[in-house]
Amino acid sequence: MHSFKKCLVSLLVFCLILSTFSAVIIYIFLNTESAPYQDIVLRNKLAGTIDTLLLGSSEGQVAFKSTLIDEELGVKSYNLCGSACPPSGIKALLEEEIDRNPLKTVIIDIGSFLHYDYTDSVSEGEIKVIPRLSNNSKKLKYMFENVWINNYSYLYATYMNNGISTLKNLIFGSYIPVVTGKTEMNLITTDEEAAVKDLSLNNTEILKNYVQDKTTDEKDFFGKIELKNYELLKEMIKMCKSRNIQVVLVFIPATESRIWTNGNFETEKEFYYSFAKDYNCIYLDFNLMKEKGKYLSDKTSFKDHFHLSESGSKVFTKCLCNVLIKIRSGEDISDMFYDSYDEAIKHFEYYEIYQSMLKEQN
Amino acid sequence: MSLTSTYFIIFMLILIPVYYLVPKKVQWCVLLAASLIFYCFGGWTNLFYVIFTSLTAFASTVIMDKLSDEQKAYLKENKESLTKEQKKSYKEAVKKKRKAYMLAAVILNIALLCFFKFLTPVNSILEAKSFNTLNVIIPLGISYYTLQTVGYIVDVYWNNVKAEKNYFKVLLFVSFFPQVTQGPISDFKQLSAELFTEHELTYKNYSWGFQRLIWGFFKKMVIANLMLPYVKDLFENYNTYSGLTLFIGIFVVMVQLYADFSGYMDIVCGACEMLGIRLAENFNRPFFSKSLSEFWRRWHITLGAWFKKYVFFTVATSRFANSLSVKVKNKFGTDAGEKAVSTVALLAIWFSIGVWHSVNLPFILWGLLNGIIMIISVWLEPVYATVKNKLHINDKSKVWKLFQMARTFTLVSALEVFSDAGALKDGTGYLLQIFKSAMNVPKSFTQIFPYVENKTYFVMIFVGLLFIFIISLINRKKNVRFYFNKLPMIIRAIILVGLVCANFAFGMTEMMRNGGDFLYAQF
């Protein structure tokens, strides 16, 4: 009995010290000047004023410039996109804002929405969403519903690391505050980053790999749709429709080389057009935008195959705003987009080069 | 179930209280259930192989014991009526039967192990010839539990141990969860004494075990995992590095492997200690070894001991070895005769060890090189003694001992490159590159240690290795936990909390990025 008591006491002492230390560090991360905390504070400040919400993952986080949207459209927008944000997180964030703001439009970056793979995940996206939820009960509820038990150690490690980083930033005064009035998360993309080697089409070895990797299997798209995500998307649209909020599904442009390699874009496009029709929302696929190569060149407008650079995102945002203005005024936008990927590809900047490589391969 | 996963922590949190709350007589049943659950995490079909191995061991040992008992009873009963020759021939007949059962069980299990060992090279050949490959998953820990089981079967044959009559106890011996993935390879006598004894919860077992567990996690998750990307990069891009970087790299590779494997050992031994069970040690400060043979008595101790007991002595006492010994003795003297037997036995043992690790050329070459170097040492022992005398080297001096340690460490690390490089040309290429790029002098610290971009990680690795070194020095006299447990409880708790936080802060991210598998689990 004596041994048992001693074991119990030592275990309790250990747990107490560990939990106290962890609680302090994680509190610092969740409740002081970390980026997610600042985001919550800013959203609370702007609550009741936001009429346009931008949702999605890192592609949207980079691509949507909300200050530009505000200027061009005369709205008050907020970019709620986040790196690796899973569909469950997007819905949770929408639920937070939908009732406390006079939303008129919700723009969703749809690119990777349906394909978010829960089985292949270390719950990284879910772990990133939790600190962005505004209260502790919502955080805990989301955690228990969406983070696998096997990933709790990763969650703990992530928050401890983030807490220590936040503490260092506080001590050394190096934290970057979210700039009041501007709603971008502090993700900086530069033109230098766009000059990534494998986007440069001077490299013939890489081009050859693209040609060899070309897939045309339709099942590759449908096979990867997660039913859970599909249901979440329908629920979000239903939520918005019940409040007369217009939903715009946006496919943020990818590089020509990415589109060239993956033959499923056409299938995906047809799927979303049909979906948008059924659920009465707008679908805009900016890979089909006419003169895309002129405005969004692979070499300067992208930092990787899916993420726009700083300059690219400004151009894209302006294009998006132009389209939305035309839709708002009832104009026909069909002449701004190609009807199919086959047609769009023929107008790619590097179409001739790809064609000659295909011929060589065959 | 990975030992560094949340599932394992939850598993232990449930197992320990259940183990101590159940009646002591059935504690081993709890261990058996836990082992089967642990094993099923890797896929329940794996259980088939464990059950097959344990069944063959159980059946053959029980039959051998029965034959022995029958023999004893028969000879006792007929003590007066049988002649000496009749008794001898009866004993020979029984021995033959026992040997047949022993060989059948051993061959079945070794054949199963060989099937899985040869699976990868066979699949490569099939793939190269565009045939369908064999889609079979290699069972978890088969290399380890097969050797352990074969050892048990042979020990029963040799009458070193009585056969266990309870099949489930044999199953527990084969599948005991802490050691099923990477050993240690235990003796039945030693392990059964631990597993089937009743255990009381003691504060010492609990606290010492817990401390060792946390330390093991630190070694694996922080030191080994943080060093892994550097090690991988060295092997993948050795052509781009300077000779000095590659030379330092061979030691880094060895130290990383040590942190990984000994970290695992600390985790399993710590977990077992919390259950009151002592496992055999696999490491005894190997980098303090003064010769290659001493190194292999301090590194992966149980593997070396197994091969020594069941391969070395079997070969050394075989008819072939005896006749060779006689022939060499007659020609070159008694000493040469004995050394000839050692030569053959060492070649056999090291070839087997190489093959046990992997059926590919780099590992076999690694094994043979170790054996050849030891054989050369055996034959040149008188020459070394003469040279030392002539040079007036005091082999008891600290300088000489340090030289021997440095020499052994360099030799072992250089040999390890062959096995770690993955392909023979990469192993030889790496070593040759040290000399080819010797003139390519690095101009900065980061060129010597290319992975030092993250200064925090580098500091963490350095501090961790310093701790390991200091603890090794302390352990020469007394176990460091003896001194650690003299500290006040609060201080001990704070240190352990610090280690736990370091594990998560540094180890978890690298584990998620680069994978957290233990290196020796691949065997």
Side-chain angles (χ1 to χ4, degrees), chain B residues 219-238:
Chain B
K219 270 160 120 176
K220 165 58 184 168
M221 289 172 69
V222 177
I223 303 172
N225 281 1
L226 289 186
M227 289 171 89
L228 185 60
Y230 179 52
V231 164
K232 275 187 179 168
D233 187 53
L234 273 177
F235 280 115
E236 282 167 16
N237 302 302
Y238 60 83

Side-chain angles (χ1 to χ4, degrees), chain B residues 306-511:
Chain B
W306 192 95
F307 276 93
K308 189 176 177 184
K309 187 176 179 185
Y310 301 105
V311 177
F312 184 90
F313 287 128
T314 305
V315 170
T317 54
S318 66
R319 249 177 265 172
F320 166 76
N322 280 334
S323 71
L324 174 72
S325 167
V326 164
K327 280 182 192 160
V328 173
K329 207 191 288 188
N330 289 339
K331 241 183 178 170
F332 301 104
T334 313
D335 191 46
E338 285 170 6
K339 285 178 179 168
V341 170
S342 297
T343 301
V344 169
L346 278 170
L347 272 175
I349 201 178
W350 279 101
F351 175 77
S352 311
I353 290 177
V355 167
W356 177 85
H357 279 85
S358 180
V359 180
N360 67 29
L361 209 47
F363 275 102
I364 294 172
L365 182 67
W366 164 84
L368 286 173
L369 279 172
N370 272 286
I372 288 165
I373 291 170
M374 279 191 233
I375 289 163
I376 292 170
S377 303
V378 164
W379 286 96
L380 292 182
E381 211 182 310
V383 173
Y384 293 152
T386 312
V387 166
K388 268 195 281 184
N389 266 335
K390 286 222 161 119
L391 295 175
H392 304 291
I393 293 170
N394 177 10
D395 56 7
K396 286 188 174 35
S397 71
K398 279 200 174 132
V399 174
W400 178 247
K401 284 180 183 172
L402 276 170
F403 162 74
Q404 286 180 306
M405 287 178 204
R407 177 197 63 189
T408 307
F409 188 25
T410 308
L411 184 61
V412 161
S413 305
L415 289 173
E416 192 64 33
V417 167
F418 282 106
S419 54
D420 284 355
L424 194 58
K425 69 171 177 66
D426 286 328
T428 44
Y430 183 107
L431 292 172
L432 284 172
Q433 191 68 19
I434 293 174
F435 300 100
K436 279 187 199 169
S437 316
M439 292 298 123
N440 183 3
V441 178
K443 293 184 182 72
S444 67
F445 192 68
T446 47
Q447 282 190 353
I448 302 172
F449 295 103
Y451 196 60
V452 174
E453 289 159 13
N454 189 323
K455 289 193 179 89
T456 316
Y457 282 10
F458 181 73
V459 167
M460 211 52 229
I461 292 167
F462 181 77
V463 167
L465 291 176
L466 194 62
F467 277 153
I468 290 178
F469 179 67
I470 292 169
I471 287 169
S472 297
L473 288 176
I474 296 171
N475 279 345
R476 283 160 76 209
K477 297 271 163 69
K478 213 163 190 173
N479 193 313
V480 68
R481 286 178 291 171
F482 174 78
Y483 300 106
F484 183 75
N485 283 288
K486 285 190 166 178
L487 296 170
M489 190 190 279
I490 298 276
I491 306 291
R492 277 186 277 139
I494 289 171
I495 293 170
L496 290 174
V497 162
L499 283 177
V500 167
C501 291
N503 290 346
F504 281 104
F506 296 100
M508 190 57 69
T509 323
E510 275 309 313
M511 207 170 81

Side-chain angles (χ1 to χ4, degrees), chain A residues 65-113:
Chain A
K65 292 290 179 200
S66 57
T67 43
L68 257 180
I69 291 174
D70 292 356
E71 282 167 25
E72 296 285 321
L73 301 180
V75 296
K76 185 82 195 122
S77 67
Y78 197 94
N79 190 341
L80 254 185
C81 297
S83 169
C85 196
S88 57
I90 293 171
K91 186 177 171 242
L93 290 165
L94 173 65
E95 280 167 347
E96 284 221 324
E97 300 303 325
I98 201 165
D99 284 325
R100 64 175 185 171
N101 288 291
L103 293 180
K104 291 196 179 108
T105 314
V106 165
I107 300 173
I108 303 174
D109 151 34
I110 200 68
S112 52
F113 193 100

Side-chain angles (χ1 to χ4, degrees), chain A residues 132-183:
Chain A
R132 301 177 66 197
L133 300 171
S134 57
N135 70 48
N136 291 331
S137 58
K138 280 184 187 166
K139 286 180 169 88
L140 283 170
K141 184 171 178 261
Y142 185 83
M143 186 185 94
F144 288 125
E145 283 176 2
N146 294 284
V147 179
W148 291 4
I149 198 167
N150 196 37
N151 292 328
Y152 282 0
S153 22
Y154 184 62
L155 179 147
Y156 174 75
T158 306
Y159 290 169
M160 288 295 285
N161 272 325
N162 287 343
I164 290 166
S165 298
T166 310
L167 184 63
K168 268 199 289 190
N169 290 342
L170 284 173
I171 292 169
F172 297 110
S174 57
Y175 73 88
I176 303 165
V178 171
V179 180
T180 312
K182 292 191 181 179
T183 55

